[in-house]
Amino acid sequence: MPEIVISEFMDEAAVDRLRERHDILYDPDLVDQPDALRDALKTAKALIVRNRTKISRELLADLSSLACVGRLGVGLDNIDLDACKAKDITVYPATGANDVAVAEYVVTAALTLLRGAYNRSSDIAAGRWPRMEMMGGEIAGKRLGLIGYGAIARKVAARAQSFGCEIAAFDPFLPEGDAAWQSAERLDLQALLRSSDVISLHVPLTETTRHLIGADAVKAMKPSAILINTARGGVVDEAALVEALRAGQLGGAALDVFESEPLDREAGARFEGVPNLILTPHIAGVTKEANVRVSSVTADNVLNHLASLSQ
């Protein structure tokens, strides 16, 4: 029986490194087979997941040997942390390993949506020449508003500053005297919404942040503003966002995360035909390079924890 179960995709080199020291079950399809996952975990000491595997109190209830969970990423809303703590199961996020990937995604999405020149190749190939229609804007001189100003948001800020952006942020949990504020103007949420040209979300999904960007928040934003969400889908009220985009009350949006994941045809129907909208399948933090880093960090965390059990 496996000592380590991996229920979602992981870099093969990291999987091989785990396999050298432990019996493992690596099956990225386990995430969609809850009964098989539960059976596989009966004797496992470690479980490695991404964001889709739900580690619930019910899943953990009958597990007596599980000692740690390695998270291939940083968000922990798919893991019942209280249930893990109650069973003395240590949870290891891959903190920092995919920060660069997310930061590059945010800046790229902002540039793409502001310029508006990259989605009409078929028109050009067909002999149309819509130069005036495709005349977009520049990011230089724009204000980037960051909701949440942790490690990833700061990397976004550094990259955006190199393009000539002014940086503002809202983060009630970051003390006013923190050195991070030297590179960003500290604003309350309403002031940030009203004044920003691009708004990027960097907060976890909690009861406080659920639908933080709803109809009222969207109305407070500039009609030309761009919204980018690489955090968690529930932070944005998708219905309110779609309504604003269809009505021309918002300049554009990029969504990498959704209220329901994976997004199925029924849930995705609301986005059909919405203008200036980029949709991606929760891959902002998943590049080839980030996958290697995240997998390596997670393998190290799990191997070190299992080694400590035998000391």
Side-chain angles (χ1 to χ4, degrees):
M1 298 294 286
E3 294 177 287
I4 301 173
V5 174
I6 308 167
S7 64
E8 298 181 63
F9 72 89
M10 188 175 185
D11 179 60
E12 291 288 351
V15 173
D16 289 341
R17 197 148 58 84
L18 292 166
R19 189 178 284 118
E20 288 174 0
R21 295 170 58 179
H22 296 278
D23 292 329
I24 74 166
L25 171 60
Y26 175 42
D27 184 354
D29 293 329
L30 275 177
V31 63
D32 295 313
Q33 303 173 46
D35 291 338
L37 176 62
R38 184 176 287 104
D39 288 342
L41 288 171
K42 287 180 178 178
T43 61
K45 297 178 181 179
L47 170 61
I48 296 176
V49 304
R50 286 190 180 268
N51 64 294
R52 290 186 56 221
T53 304
K54 306 301 181 186
I55 302 179
S56 63
R57 189 173 298 274
E58 291 72 25
L59 177 66
L60 298 176
D62 298 326
L63 303 182
S64 58
S65 58
L66 194 67
C68 67
V69 173
R71 168 69 169 91
L72 294 160
V74 294
L76 299 175
D77 48 291
N78 60 313
I79 301 173
D80 188 328
L81 296 176
D82 290 336
C84 287
K85 184 177 180 180
K87 300 207 68 164
D88 198 26
I89 297 169
T90 305
V91 178
Y92 293 101
T95 304
N98 64 355
D99 291 4
V100 169
V102 178
E104 289 189 0
Y105 177 103
V106 171
V107 175
T108 301
L111 289 165
T112 301
L113 288 165
L114 286 167
R115 191 62 187 263
Y118 308 109
N119 60 352
R120 296 185 63 178
S121 296
S122 58
D123 285 343
I124 310 306
R128 289 183 283 275
W129 205 245
R131 293 186 73 197
M132 295 304 294
E133 295 174 29
M134 293 176 64
M135 183 173 62
E138 300 173 358
I139 200 170
K142 300 290 194 301
R143 167 172 282 189
L144 170 63
L146 299 160
I147 298 180
Y149 200 44
I152 294 177
R154 294 174 206 179
K155 283 185 168 57
V156 173
R159 284 153 179 78
Q161 282 175 321
S162 70
F163 282 93
C165 282
E166 174 189 336
I167 307 299
F170 164 70
D171 192 327
F173 300 103
L174 189 64
E176 187 173 355
D178 194 287
W181 292 118
Q182 294 176 10
S183 59
E185 182 178 0
R186 188 171 185 262
L187 297 177
D188 63 34
L189 179 58
Q190 289 303 309
L192 183 140
L193 291 172
R194 289 194 304 268
S195 64
S196 297
D197 300 292
V198 178
I199 295 173
S200 183
L201 304 177
H202 299 276
V203 294
L205 180 61
T206 65
E207 288 309 309
T208 302
T209 63
R210 185 175 297 278
H211 284 190
L212 180 68
I213 305 300
D216 290 341
V218 171
K219 289 176 183 176
M221 294 165 63
K222 294 181 178 181
S224 59
I226 301 297
L227 177 69
I228 302 171
N229 188 13
T230 58
R232 284 295 180 268
V235 178
V236 173
D237 182 338
E238 293 173 358
L241 175 65
V242 165
E243 182 179 351
L245 288 168
R246 290 191 188 279
Q249 297 170 348
L250 205 61
L255 301 180
D256 183 56
V257 288
F258 303 90
E259 295 189 69
S260 175
E261 291 188 15
L263 194 68
D264 59 23
R265 183 178 295 275
E266 182 179 357
R270 65 169 35 143
F271 300 111
E272 288 290 338
V274 175
N276 215 22
L277 175 64
I278 296 172
L279 304 179
T280 53
H282 206 142
I283 50 117
V286 185
T287 60
K288 294 175 183 178
E289 297 87 350
N291 185 41
V292 170
R293 290 192 300 268
V294 164
S295 298
S296 179
V297 166
T298 302
D300 286 342
N301 287 337
V302 168
L303 288 172
N304 290 337
H305 190 95
L306 295 185
S308 72
L309 298 179
S310 60
Q311 293 177 355

